[in-house]
Amino acid sequence: MQDEEVIQQILGVVMLIPKGKVATYGQIAAMVGLPKHARFIGYTLKRLSPQSDVPWHRVINAQGRISIVGEREGINRNEQRERLIVEGIDVINGKISLKKFRWCY
DNA sequence: AACCTGACGACGC
DNA sequence: GGCGTCGCCAGGT
């Protein structure tokens, strides 16, 4: 699954998530025709560079929580939380309401 | 080939 | 809602 083709497709979909909305890993996976590959979406986003223009912060897990774990400069749990809040997405007790903020297509 | 490790998810209690 | 389990699947060893 190292297909550059697939990776670009995934990043392409993530780019479509509008500001102020979020999507889940599983949702993205399904959108690119790879259901059951939610984990691969995370793997792909993890490899992004800090200065990437891909809105990786708008991707969260199905429980409405942030799942990033690394501590890279520019890409970490707290950075994601801050970016979401700036966009008007409420993060209450580490949880985001998918009901309100999920990007429905 | 075998086994371990995840930025995951559905379900049951 | 919180938690534990189990199922998934690409990658790395």
Side-chain angles (χ1 to χ4, degrees):
Chain A
M1 197 62 89
Q2 275 289 97
D3 305 328
E4 189 58 30
E5 178 73 29
V6 178
I7 294 178
Q8 288 310 310
Q9 202 181 338
I10 292 173
L11 298 182
V13 171
V14 174
M15 293 285 277
L16 296 178
I17 306 173
K19 181 178 169 186
K21 287 293 181 180
V22 296
T24 66
Y25 296 94
Q27 187 182 335
I28 300 299
M31 290 173 81
V32 297
L34 291 174
K36 300 178 184 174
H37 290 241
R39 301 187 102 123
F40 186 68
I41 305 303
Y43 173 77
T44 301
L45 296 181
K46 186 169 67 172
R47 306 197 319 162
L48 289 173
S49 63
Q51 66 273 37
S52 169
D53 52 343
V54 176
W56 53 269
H57 59 286
R58 297 183 188 140
V59 184
I60 60 179
N61 63 35
Q63 294 115 61
R65 304 164 91 31
I66 290 175
S67 14
I68 186 170
V69 293
E71 265 309 316
R72 279 204 287 163
E73 189 62 33
I75 296 185
N76 56 62
R77 219 182 168 67
N78 199 55
E79 175 70 19
Q80 178 164 18
R81 187 179 64 78
E82 291 181 1
R83 289 198 189 191
L84 291 174
I85 290 177
V86 168
E87 297 188 357
I89 296 173
D90 305 322
V91 183
I92 304 171
N93 291 147
K95 294 180 298 183
I96 296 160
S97 169
L98 286 171
K99 176 80 173 179
K100 296 180 185 173
F101 306 106
R102 182 200 282 275
W103 170 43
C104 297
Y105 43 103

